[in-house]
Structures are given as structure tokens and as C-alpha cells.
């Protein structure tokens, strides 16, 4: 397919080639990113992109669904088996739409929802003020305990009792510890609220049984499909049977038109991949790598929010290193280490130039890196921090990163040789 592209559109081919080279020639530490398998890539780039299928299997508004119904049903069945859920909707285009659909399935505009504040690790769509979820609903935001960096369930319970939300949202986008979904479920129940859990980041850890599943304690579980779960970019909702009709209506026709069947096909492939012993080993290694990386960073005197990690990500408070998050993220990028700058809880700095750096281990784990390489990556990060204004030292780290990358090629993935960087 990629060769055909070279023939038909050499400009775009060249850009894809450059991006493939960038992905293979850098250490990708953005915790929400990964490398999908060739099978997922092929399904995502297949003829299913040509088909419209508004509606659901057996109830479509377009003809020609002989194959698409089978595919979507297969994706639904694989999702319900993998997550042990009653019902799955595999149509959300992304996690953001999935979250909004979950809220609209359970509440009306103007109702109160309660989620984790963005600067404390929550997602935009957990009711942050600039998101439609913070405008359409009356949003109450809880925070993490500033001393521990962990959820403060007393505060959450107090807020829930005071504001009586229709929905309590659990889940996060920059929270390094295991989330006790059972407690969130209990608090929700005690105030008559629904509980929506967002496991976008940790879905792969949940299906591998490393983190406890929220399915039993949630009315609706929302996830993306492309982070630790290692599928194509997409979203998914899982719920109890009692909510299935409302969930389906909220996704289509509530928020979306035709589902992206090429993505649903690739999601089905990814879920078959996730239902294997190899996937469990990969998910366990993600956490081992994150812990090894965290330990080494602590040895170098980095402050980690909550003091470490239980999952795939680490949030570094850089204030004691006197390097702003953005400056470090950019220097690391020049050293071929790709991260994202991030707010830390109660960040005194503005969000566009915050005090934190967020890193994670899914992508390096897919490449086969283990604890030894995770520690080496901590060495690289420390080296860049210590030489933040020394371009030749940063360039030297980049060379070492390239060498490490060449020892851990991206598996089962198209790698297009890059004449310019030797990969
Ligand atoms: N913004 C994504 C992340 O990087 O965590 C979540 O949607």
C-alpha cells in the first residue's frame, strides 16, 4: 500500500516516510501514544473506509451492510468479552465524543457533573471550563491532595454530598496511581449519582488484569482504543444492559453520523491482539518499565507527583530542577526523546508553560525495551536537564538515543529507511 502511495502521491509519501523515520528514530514517551501492529494498520487502511453505515448492525439507514454488520458485531463481541461488559458501543470517533455521549446518556444539559480538574490530571472532557462538557453541564471539579498527589476521597465525598451531581466521573489523563473505581462507585451510589469511569489511559492494564476493572462499579465505562490498548485512534463505551439503549442513542444519532468502519475494523483486530498472553506480558512490562524509570529519576533527585507510579505514566514536578516543562520538552525533543509538558497539581506557572513533564512507557515497551533501557532513558533525561543550555551535549544524547532505537526496532510495523538519519 505504501509503495502505491509513493507512485501516486510522492509528496505525501515522503512526509509519511519522514514520520515513520521519526517514530522509529526517537524514544516516544508520550503516555497516550504507542505503535500499532501491521495488522491494525492494514485494517485501518482498508476498503472499510469506503462505506457509510449510519445506524447499528441490523438497523442501518444505508444498504450494502452484508459485511459491515458482521464486522461491527464482531468488534462489539470482542469488546464485551475482553472487558467483561454487558454492552459495547464501538462507534465513538474518539474519547472526547465517547465521554460526551456517556454524559448525555445519563443526564441532561444543565445537570451537575463532577470530575477531576484538568490541572490536577483530569481530561478536558471531565467538565473543564473551556470544554463543551464544562459549558453544557453545571461542572463541579475535584482535585488531588496537594501533599500526596492522590485522590482525596473525603474531599470528593464532601463535594458529592454538597452538590448532589447527576454523574461522578472517575479516571484521569495524568494520574500516576491506580484508581480505586470501587470507592468512586460507592460515593456515587451514596448520593444517587451515576458513575462514569474513563479508562482511556489504562485500558490495556485493565484488560490484562493489572489494574482492577471499573466495569462492575460503573454505569458506563468510556475509553479510547489507541493508548495502552494499542489499537487505532478511536473511542468506545461499555455499559450495563439497562443503559445500552441510551448509550447507543447518545452516540448515534445524538452526536455522530456514520461510524468510521475502517477504525471499527482495526479496533476489532486490536482487541483480538489484546486477548492474548503476549498482550498480558506487554502490559505487565509497561508497569515494570515505568517503575524502573521512576526509581532512577528519584535517584537523580527528580520530584515525582505522588512519589512514583503504579501505571504507565510519570508526572515530574521540575521546580527543584529550575527548568520549565516546555523548555525541557523541547530540549528532549532535540535529543530524540519525545514527551509532553504538563501542569502539575496547583501549578504556579501558566498551562502553556507549566512546571511539569509527563512521560510514559507504552511505546518503548512495544519496542521490546525493558527495565535496563528504562533506566538508561532516565540517564538521558537527567543528562539533558543538567545540560539544558548546552546544545552539543544535547546532540550527543540524541546520538545515543538513536543507537538505542536501532537496537530495539519497531516490531511488525512498516519502517521506511531514512537516507538522512541512517535508520
Ligand atoms: N490528550 C490525551 C492525552 O495525551 O492524555 C488524552 O485525550
Amino acid at each position: 500500500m505504501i509503495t502505491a502511495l509513493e507512485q501516486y502521491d510522492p509528496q505525501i509519501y515522503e512526509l509519511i516516510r519522514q514520520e515513520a523515520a521519526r517514530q522509529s528514530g526517537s524514544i516516544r514517551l508520550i503516555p497516550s501514544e504507542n505503535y500499532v501492529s501491521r495488522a491494525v494498520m492494514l485494517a485501518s487502511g482498508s476498503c472499510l473506509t469506503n462505506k457509510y453505515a449510519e445506524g447499528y448492525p441490523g438497523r442501518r439507514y444505508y444498504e450494502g451492510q452484508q459485511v459491515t454488520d458482521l464486522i461491527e458485531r464482531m468488534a462489539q463481541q470482542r469488546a464485551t468479552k475482553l472487558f467483561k461488559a454487558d454492552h459495547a458501543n464501538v462507534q465513538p470517533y474518539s474519547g472526547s465524543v465517547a465521554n460526551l455521549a456517556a454524559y448525555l446518556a445519563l443526564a441532561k444539559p444543565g445537570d451537575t457533573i463532577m470530575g477531576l480538574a484538568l490541572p490536577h490530571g483530569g481530561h478536558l472532557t471531565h467538565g473543564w471550563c473551556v470544554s463543551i462538557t464544562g459549558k453544557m453541564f453545571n461542572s463541579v471539579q475535584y482535585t488531588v491532595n496537594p501533599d500526596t498527589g492522590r485522590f482525596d476521597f473525603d474531599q470528593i465525598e464532601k463535594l458529592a454530598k454538597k452538590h448532589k451531581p447527576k454523574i461522578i466521573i472517575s479516571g484521569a489523563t495524568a494520574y500516576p496511581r491506580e484508581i480505586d473505581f470501587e470507592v468512586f462507585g460507592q460515593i456515587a451510589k451514596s448520593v444517587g449519582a451515576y458513575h462514569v469511569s474513563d479508562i482511556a489511559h489504562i485500558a490495556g492494564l485493565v484488560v490484562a488484569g493489572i489494574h482492577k476493572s471499573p466495569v462492575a462499579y460503573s454505569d458506563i465505562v468510556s475509553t479510547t482504543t489507541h493508548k495502552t490498548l494499542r489499537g487505532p485512534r478511536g473511542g468506545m463505551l461499555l455499559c450495563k444492559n439497562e443503559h445500552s439503549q441510551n448509550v447507543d442513542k447518545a452516540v448515534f444519532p445524538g452526536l455522530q453520523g456514520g461510524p468510521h468502519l475502517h477504525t471499527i475494523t482495526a479496533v476489532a483486530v486490536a482487541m483480538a491482539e489484546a486477548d492474548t498472553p503476549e498482550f498480558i506480558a506487554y502490559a505487565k512490562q509497561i508497569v515494570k518499565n515505568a517503575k524502573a524509570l521512576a526509581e532512577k529519576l528519584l535517584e537523580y533527585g527528580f520530584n515525582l507527583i505522588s512519589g512514583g507510579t503504579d501505571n504507565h505514566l510519570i508526572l515530574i514536578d521540575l521546580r527543584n530542577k529550575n527548568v520549565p516543562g516546555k523548555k525541557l520538552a523541547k530540549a528532549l525533543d532535540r535529543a530524540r526523546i519525545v514527551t509532553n509538558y504538563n501542569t502539575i497539581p496547583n501549578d504556579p506557572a501558566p498551562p502553556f508553560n507549566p512546571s511539569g513533564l509527563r512521560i510514559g512507557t507504552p511505546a518503548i515497551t512495544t519496542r521490546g525495551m525493558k527495565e535496563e533501557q528504562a533506566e538508561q532513558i532516565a540517564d538521558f533525561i537527567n543528562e539533558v536537564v543538567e545540560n539544558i543550555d548546552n546544545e552539543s551535549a544535547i546532540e550527543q544524547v540524541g546520538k545515543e538515543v538513536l543507537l538505542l532505537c536501532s537496537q530495539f526496532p519497531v516490531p511488525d510495523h512498516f519502517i521506511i529507511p531514512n537516507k538522512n538519519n541512517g535508520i
Side-chain angles (χ1 to χ4, degrees), residues 32 123 173 201 227 358:
S32 45
H123 192 254
T173 198
H201 269 263
K227 297 184 175 100
R358 190 183 68 148

Side-chain angles (χ1 to χ4, degrees), residues 269-330:
V269 173
M271 284 189 295
E273 291 177 352
D275 202 3
T276 58
E278 290 76 20
F279 188 89
I280 294 176
Y282 141 84
K284 283 186 177 155
Q285 191 64 46
I286 287 178
V287 178
K288 285 186 197 164
N289 286 350
K291 284 183 185 291
L293 179 50
E295 281 303 319
K296 200 69 200 277
L297 289 171
L298 287 169
E299 280 176 31
Y300 280 123
F302 284 90
N303 279 335
L304 307 185
I305 298 300
S306 84
T309 182
D310 298 328
N311 58 21
H312 63 304
L313 74 79
I314 296 162
L315 188 56
I316 309 174
D317 174 353
L318 290 163
R319 285 176 300 173
N320 67 331
K321 297 284 180 184
N322 292 320
V323 189
K326 192 174 185 175
K327 183 170 179 176
L328 178 58
K330 290 197 176 298

